[in-house]
Amino acid sequence: MKLQQLRYILEIQRQGLNVSEAAETLFTSQPGISKQVKLLEDELGITIFERTGKRFTGVTEPGKAVLRIAEQILREAENLKRASADFAGGTSGRLVLAATHTQARYALPLVVRDFIAQHPNVKLEFHQGSPTQIAEWVVNGDADLGIATEALDQYSQLITLPVRQWSHCVIAPEGHAILKHQPLSLNELAKWPLITYDTAFAGRSRINRAFERIGATPNVALTALDADVIKTYVSLGLGLGIISALAYDAQRDSGLVAMEAAHLFESNTTRLALRRGTYLRRYDYDFIALFASHLSRRVVDMAMQGGGDEYQL
Amino acid sequence: MKLQQLRYILEIQRQGLNVSEAAETLFTSQPGISKQVKLLEDELGITIFERTGKRFTGVTEPGKAVLRIAEQILREAENLKRASADFAGGTSGRLVLAATHTQARYALPLVVRDFIAQHPNVKLEFHQGSPTQIAEWVVNGDADLGIATEALDQYSQLITLPVRQWSHCVIAPEGHAILKHQPLSLNELAKWPLITYDTAFAGRSRINRAFERIGATPNVALTALDADVIKTYVSLGLGLGIISALAYDAQRDSGLVAMEAAHLFESNTTRLALRRGTYLRRYDYDFIALFASHLSRRVVDMAMQGGGDEYQL
DNA sequence: CGTGATTACGTTTATCGTAATTATA
DNA sequence: TATAATTACGATAAACGTAATCACG
């Protein structure tokens, strides 16, 4: 049994049971793969792939078991290389972050600045996407760390850690009539056209639920993927904006006024996601600690081992 | 990176950093290992073993990380073979049980009989030992299933499942004076010489604790590893026996009388131990189900995944 | 027939064991 | 000086790629 052989059968599965495709993606010859698959099957005494004639048409029951374990093994092999590189490379390496706009624009800049100062030789990459995309990137190993407010806890292959809590605020153009109605109520808010996040983003689910609870139907005139767009349209007078309080800055956002809305919508928890079972390099821990000081190496390790209860903010 | 290389470095560690010894146990040449270690180190870009001149004198920090992961990988590789053999061999295979005398003699015979009938081609092996030995056999993979009443839950690498509860009974020769003092009390019992299990066996800890609690010092005249020996000496009139209620059979043990002692000593739970993370073959599940009907495949799988709360009897 | 897997075969590379060498305790 | 790891080298075997063959749609 060779690690290659495991790579081969996994790639065949990934390529929809097409050996030729697998050979291409692995930069090798198709007969080579074919032979190794057969050798492996002979050694194990089972058939992994169902064949009709010479075509691969399915995965046998034992094949499923073998593929599942093979995946584990290769994942661990990946970890081994990662761990070595961590020690060997000193401070160099690559860190791939996946985050939503809100995080990338408002929560991460200072953290990234400090991280780069601390690890000048680590190449920092940034993938921006929806919470679901982020989760899948991390699951597939395309990203090392995922940061988002929604969706992350839906994936059993992810370990998620609470980073910080935040609330929404409502923004309005200066001189807007609603500014006289503070503290705000949901009923008041429901009278105006609203501009807020797209579904599946930055706590949008909490916003919906709040209006549902009082039986009101908000008039959402426009949805956007990020607070900057929302602010733009609020400035144009198209409606009131509901955004993350993190995204409002009185200085920068002149012409706009923010109103406290923590009492209207449930608070949100930004979470950090890691793939279960991956080896964490020193700079992974460092980034996490910079981002959320309470997430020390010890706390992260505890969570990774699934040990004990979830860390509470 | 080859699986062999991982085997090599692990064996070197096991043999106390002696490459020559490792070569012997792996039935290969010392230079071969030496070279492969170097190749692996070069590939990973780290040194795994500290050397002073040409001697191996320690494991480096990266080496520790690598060895830990290597162990995981080889364990999974073992699982892969196991899984294959499970499907390939049909009903054949090998099942190694580790159990204490009490279990082997009184709890297991019928289970073993049924299992053999169900799986005539599975070679059943039996290792009898102390609870600690049993635990270590299972941890090392020398035994597939461990069964004992004590010690098993001290090992984090073991998954343990409750099988059944049982109580102690007191046995005496026919006509013994104590037979008039029923129901028994600990104070009465403390007046007589006692014969019971050796420390670390079959609930002996509960017996000690019971006497401690009332501040009495039992007169333990003789300790033995199993109930049969105890019964023999009780028959000879050397004292009263305290044994597992499972071990007394009115028919077979003529000349001896058993007295209820469930109210004197805490009840004991026989537990079944499995090594965390091992692949369970169909006949492993079958044996477990025969031994304890409530331990269905589902229940065992849940426990193996560390999911949810412990099963309660 | 075209796509896709297997068989055949030759080249290259890697692995393993023996023997010689070197370093340490 | 004995023990133990490395280096050198030759034999064996494994892996890989090319070309030819075979099977299914």
Side-chain angles (χ1 to χ4, degrees), chain A residues 68-87:
Chain A
R68 209 183 49 244
I69 301 174
E71 199 173 354
Q72 291 280 328
I73 293 177
L74 290 184
R75 190 195 305 293
E76 290 294 335
E78 207 43 60
N79 281 343
L80 200 152
K81 285 188 210 145
R82 223 168 225 267
S84 305
D86 188 25
F87 287 99

Side-chain angles (χ1 to χ4, degrees), chain B residues 79-115:
Chain B
N79 281 344
L80 200 152
K81 284 187 210 145
R82 224 169 224 270
S84 305
D86 188 25
F87 287 99
T91 57
S92 75
R94 206 173 76 113
L95 178 62
V96 183
L97 301 179
T100 55
H101 172 90
T102 314
Q103 302 301 324
R105 179 92 162 73
Y106 301 104
L108 289 172
L110 292 180
V111 177
V112 166
R113 189 197 60 186
D114 291 350
F115 180 81

Side-chain angles (χ1 to χ4, degrees), chain B residues 15-284:
Chain B
Q15 298 301 330
L17 305 180
N18 186 320
V19 178
S20 308
E21 295 273 322
E24 261 190 61
T25 50
L26 293 174
F27 303 105
T28 183
S29 72
Q30 188 241 35
I33 295 199
S34 200
K35 187 170 191 184
Q36 291 304 321
V37 171
K38 189 171 278 278
L39 279 173
L40 180 62
E41 288 184 327
D42 286 352
E43 181 182 342
L44 296 178
I46 55 168
T47 63
I48 296 170
F49 297 107
E50 285 167 0
R51 294 143 164 104
T52 48
K54 294 198 168 185
R55 306 287 166 108
F56 283 36
T57 53
V59 178
T60 64
E61 210 48 48
K64 280 179 201 162
V66 165
L67 282 164
R68 208 184 49 244
I69 301 174
E71 198 174 354
Q72 292 279 328
I73 293 177
L74 290 184
R75 190 196 306 293
E76 289 295 335
E78 207 42 59
N79 281 344
L80 200 152
K81 284 187 210 145
R82 224 169 224 270
S84 305
D86 188 25
F87 287 99
T91 57
S92 75
R94 206 173 76 113
L95 178 62
V96 183
L97 301 179
T100 55
H101 172 90
T102 314
Q103 302 301 324
R105 179 92 162 73
Y106 301 104
L108 289 172
L110 292 180
V111 177
V112 166
R113 189 197 60 186
D114 291 350
F115 180 81
I116 288 173
Q118 219 177 74
H119 297 277
N121 296 319
V122 174
K123 277 194 187 158
L124 198 66
E125 286 184 26
F126 217 103
H127 288 197
Q128 189 180 323
S130 70
T132 335
Q133 280 179 308
I134 291 169
E136 268 159 20
W137 286 333
V138 176
V139 167
N140 296 329
D142 295 326
D144 298 314
L145 265 56
I147 302 160
T149 297
E150 305 264 346
L152 294 184
D153 44 7
Q154 317 258 351
Y155 292 75
S156 67
Q157 296 162 75
L158 294 182
I159 303 280
T160 73
L161 291 159
V163 174
R164 64 176 57 88
Q165 290 200 317
W166 54 268
S167 318
H168 286 99
C169 70
V170 173
I171 53 172
E174 275 177 1
H176 193 284
I178 200 169
L179 293 171
K180 295 173 201 144
H181 290 82
Q182 297 198 53
L184 269 178
S185 73
L186 286 172
N187 282 319
E188 181 61 28
L189 213 49
K191 292 178 189 164
W192 303 88
L194 300 177
I195 307 176
T196 188
Y197 298 107
D198 193 77
T199 335
F201 267 86
R204 168 66 191 272
S205 58
R206 305 293 164 96
I207 297 175
N208 287 4
R209 237 179 295 156
F211 283 106
E212 271 168 31
R213 213 176 295 119
I214 64 158
T217 316
N219 171 17
V220 178
L222 204 66
T223 66
L225 298 183
D226 61 83
D228 290 315
V229 172
I230 297 172
K231 285 189 250 179
T232 306
Y233 287 96
V234 171
S235 298
L236 292 177
L238 290 189
L240 298 170
I242 307 178
I243 62 174
S244 163
L246 299 171
Y248 177 80
D249 182 274
Q251 293 241 310
R252 198 179 35 203
D253 300 323
S254 60
L256 291 176
V257 183
M259 287 166 282
E260 189 58 60
H263 57 295
L264 301 182
F265 311 109
E266 294 170 62
S267 77
N268 297 276
T269 304
T270 299
R271 303 187 80 86
L272 186 137
L274 299 163
R275 187 169 66 171
R276 211 176 273 280
T278 40
Y279 176 88
L280 294 178
R281 298 155 296 194
R282 282 171 296 188
Y283 55 79
D284 291 321

Side-chain angles (χ1 to χ4, degrees), chain A residues 19-20 30-31 34 38 51 54-55:
Chain A
V19 178
S20 307
Q30 188 240 36
S34 201
K38 189 171 278 280
R51 293 140 163 106
K54 295 200 169 186
R55 306 289 166 108

Side-chain angles (χ1 to χ4, degrees), chain A residues 167-230:
Chain A
S167 319
H168 286 98
C169 70
V170 172
I171 53 174
E174 276 176 1
H176 193 284
I178 201 170
L179 293 172
K180 297 173 201 144
H181 289 81
Q182 297 198 52
L184 269 177
S185 73
L186 285 172
N187 283 318
E188 181 61 31
L189 213 50
K191 293 178 189 164
W192 302 89
L194 299 177
I195 307 175
T196 189
Y197 298 106
D198 194 76
T199 334
F201 267 86
R204 168 66 190 273
S205 57
R206 306 291 165 98
I207 297 176
N208 287 6
R209 237 179 296 155
F211 283 107
E212 271 169 30
R213 212 176 296 118
I214 64 158
T217 315
N219 171 17
V220 177
L222 203 66
T223 65
L225 299 184
D226 61 83
D228 289 316
V229 173
I230 296 172

